[in-house]
Amino acid sequence: MPDIVIAFFALGLLAGLLKSDLKVPNAVYETLSILLMLTLGLKGGLALHGRADLAVLPDLLLIGSLGVLIPLALYPVLKRWVRLGSADAVSIAAHYGSVSAGTFAVALALAERAGMPLAPETTLYLVLLELPALVVMLWWYQRQKKRAHSDAPLAQHSALHVWHEALTSRSVLLLVGGVAIGWLYGPEGLAPITPTLLGGFKTFLALFLLEMGICTARACFPLPIQHWRLLIFAALAPFVLASVGLAVGLGLGLPAGSVLILAALTASASYIAAPAAIRASVPEANIGLAMLASLGVTFPVNVLIGLPLYQRWVEALV
């Protein structure tokens, strides 16, 4: 049987397809997002507690570089094969270079259920991969715009401003803050909140995925056949990108659980941080297309098909 949290995603998807009045109130969804991000950070901080191993820095830098290389590699594919304009190609490349915290949470639950070993710094992969893609693609967009219009005014959002927006976003602050708190306080310091936050992790994730299933149905149905190239890209890209994460994880000699999570992250696409950054900095981009691809297609493909498949790949190779 699939992990129980997957059943909640399927229930939300079914409810959306049946046009049910089931919905998670916005206030509850926002609360779940905060609790999920904070709990992920705390889990990573607890794993790092008492460690000060600088030997992992080269590995972390290599993993972070994937956030730059993946969107730059996807941009020409989106331009030439999917036939998107520059703004939409930048937008979707940024979404796929960045990562999905929801996919990370499901992959973490899957790895823990299977008893797969995890490197203590695994949660840091999420932070390292979320930011670079947004910054590099916004820089690329400004560069392309200046080439096309040499007399165009300077973009309002400088690289420094983009970094500020990215680093102060809610998800990054909660993740990094949670890691810092877990690392500093350790199991004893966190004992008063452990039953509620860490013990409730799967409950938060299940309710979050229920809403994600409803959102997926809303984004994908009726299916926009006119965007068939983008739909094919969104369905196939996760498996290609997962193989990149898998190869890097194996090359670095990471434990099985960390390889699975790195493959899941590279296969994922952002639907929280990236839309906000792109909407502010690339107003010409159609955010609906990005959400259709990342949330409507790639997220369910990963959750329902991809993650169990990536787990089998890891078990066969590690």
Side-chain angles (χ1 to χ4, degrees):
M1 291 288 288
D3 195 285
I4 183 62
V5 296
I6 306 300
F8 279 79
F9 177 81
L11 176 61
L13 186 63
L14 178 63
L17 293 176
L18 295 176
K19 307 294 185 184
S20 167
D21 61 355
L22 173 64
K23 67 177 181 178
V24 176
N26 286 337
V28 175
Y29 172 74
E30 292 291 328
T31 302
L32 287 171
S33 299
I34 291 171
L35 291 172
L36 194 57
M37 294 286 188
L38 185 57
T39 304
L40 287 171
L42 290 172
K43 277 175 168 280
L46 280 173
L48 291 171
H49 180 66
R51 290 173 53 97
D53 189 1
L54 297 179
V56 300
L57 282 179
D59 291 358
L60 293 177
L61 289 173
L62 178 59
I63 289 169
S65 70
L66 293 175
V68 173
L69 299 175
I70 287 174
L72 289 175
L74 290 179
Y75 178 80
V77 176
L78 291 162
K79 280 276 289 180
R80 295 170 190 169
W81 188 81
V82 184
R83 298 180 183 175
L84 296 174
S86 292
D88 285 325
V90 162
S91 169
I92 293 174
H95 280 73
Y96 278 80
S98 188
V99 292
S100 160
T103 305
F104 175 87
V106 178
L108 181 62
L110 193 64
E112 290 177 343
R113 180 193 183 200
M116 302 173 80
L118 293 160
E121 65 277 5
T122 302
T123 299
L124 298 180
Y125 303 168
L126 179 60
V127 181
L128 289 170
L129 288 169
E130 186 170 29
L131 303 179
L134 301 178
V135 176
V136 74
M137 290 317 295
L138 294 179
W139 166 81
W140 181 262
Y141 171 72
Q142 292 176 14
R143 181 172 175 268
Q144 294 296 99
K145 194 172 182 180
K146 287 177 185 177
R147 277 187 175 181
H149 307 285
S150 57
D151 58 342
L154 290 175
Q156 292 181 354
H157 293 262
S158 64
L160 183 62
H161 184 73
V162 170
W163 271 109
H164 177 267
E165 286 188 345
L167 290 170
T168 57
S169 68
R170 179 182 66 181
S171 58
V172 172
L173 282 176
L174 288 169
L175 285 168
V176 175
V179 168
I181 291 170
W183 176 62
L184 289 170
Y185 282 82
E188 291 184 5
L190 292 181
I193 63 171
T194 295
T196 302
L197 283 180
L198 302 185
F201 171 69
K202 276 211 168 183
T203 301
F204 305 149
L205 180 57
L207 294 175
F208 178 83
L209 289 179
L210 177 68
E211 172 64 8
M212 288 297 96
I214 297 170
C215 290
T216 297
R218 192 182 304 132
C220 263
F221 297 94
L223 197 65
I225 298 298
Q226 69 272 25
H227 298 302
W228 64 271
R229 288 177 181 270
L230 180 61
L231 296 174
I232 292 174
F233 168 84
L236 297 181
F239 303 102
V240 177
L241 296 175
S243 65
V244 173
L246 180 65
V248 171
L250 292 173
L252 293 175
L254 299 178
S258 297
V259 175
L260 172 62
I261 287 177
L262 183 57
L265 283 172
T266 53
S268 70
S270 173
Y271 50 80
I272 298 174
I278 294 297
R279 186 181 288 114
S281 300
V282 190
E284 299 91 340
N286 183 345
I287 292 298
L289 286 180
M291 294 300 287
L292 168 67
S294 63
L295 180 59
V297 180
T298 294
F299 183 75
V301 164
N302 273 325
V303 169
L304 298 175
I305 302 170
L307 290 175
L309 179 62
Y310 311 152
Q311 182 183 0
R312 287 197 289 272
W313 290 354
V314 171
E315 289 172 345
L317 295 171
V318 177

